[in-house]
Amino acid sequence: MPSESESRPGPDHGAPIGRRACQFGDGLFETLAVIDGQPCLWALHLARLRAGCARLGLPLPDPDALLARARRLAAGRPRAVLKLILAAGGAGRGYARDPAAAPDCWMDIGPWPRGEPWDGEGPLNMQHSPVTLAAQPLLGGLKHLNRLEQVLARRALDPGMQEAVMYDQHGRAVEGIAGNLLLLERGRYLTPPIEDCGVAGTVRALLLDAARRNGLPLRVAPLSRGRLLAGDGLFVSNALLGIRPVARLGARRYPVRQRPPALEAAHRACFTFSGEIQCND
């Protein structure tokens, strides 16, 4: 099915080049899996959007109206990708926002991406990214529109690699280009803190919730390059991949290349509506 979109710009809407989303990246976005006509992990995406709005000082649109729009676009789609963009409204020059301008809100739905790593279940090949993530605690964890670091990291991928570990300025692993990291170490799982940089993913939130509620042996801990390489298994998670094992990181080949049973329930939950899950990091 072709791509469809809906937009709800403010009353002074004009050409996209004049909008703050285009000029300054002044906004947030969410990328959702759509399975059997339903936007998956809706509550987690909405909670992250709500937290981002509070941090950036953006008004959150009515959640019921957002869900109705998402379901209208998703209806009849067995598998698709829904993109939601919420940005400060208003146009004109200068960094200052117009306090009277209503926010821009766009939704677009399109086909599921083809090819690895998106259209498969096999383990991923990763490398160490040469792109260092900059520290900015005010933006750490947010799914904001400024993604040039990820664009550069994706451009730097070697042939045959699907992902890369991105490090902060102190050499600590933060995330993949498009997903969070989960290290298996002696029967327990570790995920890096998302504080000064990086995106607090919805699947990461799902796993942390499973740790609190169901006893999944997972905790947040700093991960150095050496600790990553010494681990028993490595996984990448995001809303379209679910939880995917990593076959290799650079020259390091991991003995665990399948999802352990402890992660299967969370992986399946990634592709359901999950309207009641709370996102608390």
Side-chain angles (χ1 to χ4, degrees):
M1 298 178 72
S3 174
E4 300 176 28
S5 63
E6 291 187 0
S7 64
R8 296 287 189 274
D12 58 346
H13 64 277
I17 195 171
R19 310 309 297 169
R20 293 187 64 85
C22 184
Q23 290 194 47
F24 309 121
D26 189 2
L28 305 158
F29 75 100
E30 296 290 330
T31 303
L32 295 85
V34 169
I35 302 295
D36 296 331
Q38 291 285 353
C40 300
L41 294 182
W42 176 259
L44 293 174
H45 285 282
L46 180 64
R48 183 171 61 187
L49 186 67
R50 188 191 307 276
C53 284
R55 190 99 60 90
L56 296 185
L58 296 173
L60 178 72
D62 177 62
D64 292 336
L66 282 179
L67 178 56
R69 289 173 60 190
R71 281 180 158 160
R72 182 165 60 250
L73 284 172
R77 303 263 183 166
R79 191 166 75 149
V81 178
L82 179 71
K83 185 77 169 279
L84 186 161
I85 295 177
L86 180 66
R93 299 189 180 278
Y95 291 121
R97 293 176 181 166
D98 179 356
D104 289 329
C105 186
W106 295 280
M107 279 193 194
D108 177 84
I109 194 164
W112 195 269
R114 295 183 177 181
E116 286 288 355
W118 313 108
D119 195 18
E121 283 289 324
L124 307 180
N125 294 318
M126 298 188 73
Q127 67 185 62
H128 304 281
S129 178
V131 179
T132 299
L133 291 169
Q136 176 45 271
L138 292 177
L139 298 178
L142 300 188
K143 190 89 169 179
H144 56 76
L145 291 173
N146 308 115
R147 312 261 37 107
L148 282 178
E149 291 170 329
Q150 287 71 26
V151 169
L152 293 174
R154 181 63 183 83
R155 184 182 178 190
L157 277 183
D158 295 333
M161 297 290 111
Q162 292 91 38
E163 255 285 9
V165 174
M166 301 190 72
Y167 298 87
D168 66 13
Q169 59 188 338
H170 302 292
R172 297 171 299 207
V174 177
E175 61 184 358
I177 299 172
N180 292 118
L181 302 172
L182 187 66
L183 181 71
L184 176 61
E185 182 184 78
R186 296 190 296 274
R188 62 182 179 177
Y189 297 95
L190 307 173
T191 190
I194 303 294
E195 296 171 347
D196 294 342
C197 53
V199 175
T202 52
V203 181
R204 178 180 182 270
L206 179 74
L207 288 165
L208 290 171
D209 185 76
R212 286 187 292 268
R213 294 173 181 267
N214 306 321
L216 179 70
L218 165 66
R219 66 182 179 91
V220 177
L223 296 181
S224 65
R225 181 182 297 222
R227 194 170 190 179
L228 279 181
L229 296 176
D232 303 310
L234 183 62
F235 304 85
V236 174
S237 68
N238 75 15
L240 302 187
L241 293 174
I243 304 167
R244 291 282 292 277
V246 173
R248 54 178 288 207
L249 173 56
R252 165 64 163 140
R253 297 183 180 274
Y254 292 98
V256 176
R257 300 191 184 186
Q258 296 180 337
R259 273 186 304 275
L263 300 180
E264 277 298 334
H267 177 74
R268 292 193 300 271
C270 296
F271 303 108
T272 63
F273 173 64
S274 302
E276 300 302 319
I277 294 175
Q278 298 300 312
C279 180
N280 297 304
D281 209 348

